[in-house]
Amino acid sequence: MPPIVKALTRFITMCMLCSVLPAAAQDQSRELPLDKIKLPPGFSIEVWAEAPNARGLTMGKNGTVFAGSMAEGKVYAITETGGARQVKTIANGLNLPVGVAFHDGSLYVSAVSRILRFDDIEQKLDQPGKPHVVTTRFPSEKHHGGRYIRFGPDDLLYVAVGAPCNACERDPDEFSLISRIKPDGTDYEAFAHGVRNSLGFDWHPETKELWFTDNGRDWMGDNIPPDELNRAPRKGMHFGYPYCHGDDILDPKYGAKRDCRKLVPPVAKFGAHVAALGMRFYRGKMFPSEYRNSIFVAEHGSWNRRNKTGYRLNLVRVKNNKVVKQEVFAEGWLEKENNWGRPVDVLVMPDGALLVSDDYAGVIYRISYKKP
């Protein structure tokens, strides 16, 4: 084949690859415009690690940060030695391993119908081996099948199971809920019902009550229903879906079946379609004291709203176990109608800094504070 033909063939092949890769994956070496991120005085942001399609975050006992993903079914482990970071892929080809949780030396990973466990993982990062299958009892539907997981203060593994649809009625003990199991996969029970799709939850540092985000349904308009922040102080509460949205917005198909007044309203409402995902109470000491026990919420951003919204970090201030204020903490990933990043999950580090995963830019950020 003549050289000119070979060159042309390579060029066409590269163009074809660029056309199918996500925009953020086409040039991993590009510099992200972090100077466009607006933060309160004293705060700064940097790229902490590159991790394509990073989603859920958790930390091991020895300081390893683990990140789930949806790209090629990968799970990452990020270690730091002497200020130098190394990103290792410890699993590949899993089925939507969005959620990660650490417990007693083992990494738990969600994979739609399965929960997997990598034992003694921090000692085996170079050769983690095949994971142990903890359970296969979760639904296999992939619609809202990326399951967020975390261990609670009761040492039980909480697993969110979203609705397999936009709006539908399915078995209330299988879908649209937050469940919990023992670390060995036994004793499944539904903890919170009427939850359309939660991809973030945490426990209040003082009351130990479960708080969680929930994504509102689509196709009711640009401005309704809101995404939600909910509080579940006990087992068995119903948070509305698919009958009621927000405080009292009736679902056009299912709203007549339940009385909204008998269902649990959110403790805070976010903008419609902002896609409120990961959340954490701030327990660190680096940030000013007024941030203590407030909630950082990652708003992934809308996908079908006429004018985009979200693409930022929201701060929910909590006092006496009640929401007293909301404010934007970090924004700039969205410029007019173009976004270059999408925050997914947040994690408070031992030094008090805040890690933020971004599945669109393919990185994990570190937000730190230094008194101006």
Side-chain angles (χ1 to χ4, degrees), residues 210-224:
L210 176 68
W211 293 54
F212 63 91
T213 58
D214 193 14
N215 282 197
R217 65 157 288 177
D218 296 313
W219 311 118
M220 285 183 67
D222 277 358
N223 300 312
I224 60 170

Side-chain angles (χ1 to χ4, degrees), residues 59-65 79-80 102 120 122-123:
M59 175 174 282
K61 182 179 179 180
N62 297 333
T64 306
V65 173
T79 58
E80 185 170 5
F102 192 86
D120 198 22
E122 289 188 286
Q123 309 304 319

Side-chain angles (χ1 to χ4, degrees), residues 28 46 64 71 138 156 295 327 341 348 370:
Q28 291 289 340
E46 62 182 323
T64 306
F138 291 97
L156 297 179
I295 303 171
E327 58 194 76
V348 181
K370 187 175 181 180

Side-chain angles (χ1 to χ4, degrees), residues 157-294:
L157 181 64
Y158 286 69
V159 182
V161 183
C165 56
N166 176 38
C168 60
E169 282 184 306
R170 295 289 294 270
D171 185 340
D173 289 321
E174 294 291 328
F175 296 98
S176 311
L177 52 79
I178 296 175
S179 63
R180 61 184 180 184
I181 57 176
K182 287 184 177 179
D184 64 2
T186 61
D187 290 356
Y188 170 94
E189 64 177 352
F191 182 81
H193 294 274
V195 182
R196 180 177 177 270
N197 188 35
S198 177
L199 284 164
F201 42 82
D202 196 5
W203 288 263
H204 191 289
E206 297 171 350
T207 68
K208 310 304 180 185
E209 295 174 349
L210 176 68
W211 293 54
F212 63 91
T213 58
D214 193 14
N215 282 197
R217 65 157 288 177
D218 296 313
W219 311 118
M220 285 183 67
D222 277 358
N223 300 312
I224 60 170
D227 280 7
E228 299 177 0
L229 178 66
N230 291 284
R231 179 170 64 92
R234 62 184 181 277
K235 174 187 170 184
M237 302 173 74
H238 195 293
F239 293 87
Y241 176 87
Y243 312 103
C244 304
H245 311 286
D247 290 317
D248 55 4
I249 301 173
L250 295 177
D251 188 86
K253 184 174 182 180
Y254 302 105
K257 294 187 176 184
R258 298 289 291 269
D259 184 351
C260 291
R261 293 171 297 180
K262 296 181 180 180
L263 303 175
V264 183
V267 294
K269 294 181 286 186
F270 303 122
H273 313 298
V274 298
L277 302 187
M279 61 150 284
R280 287 291 201 288
F281 283 94
Y282 185 75
R283 297 170 170 85
K285 296 181 179 179
M286 176 187 286
F287 296 0
S289 59
E290 60 263 29
Y291 286 88
R292 187 85 172 171
N293 293 347
S294 294

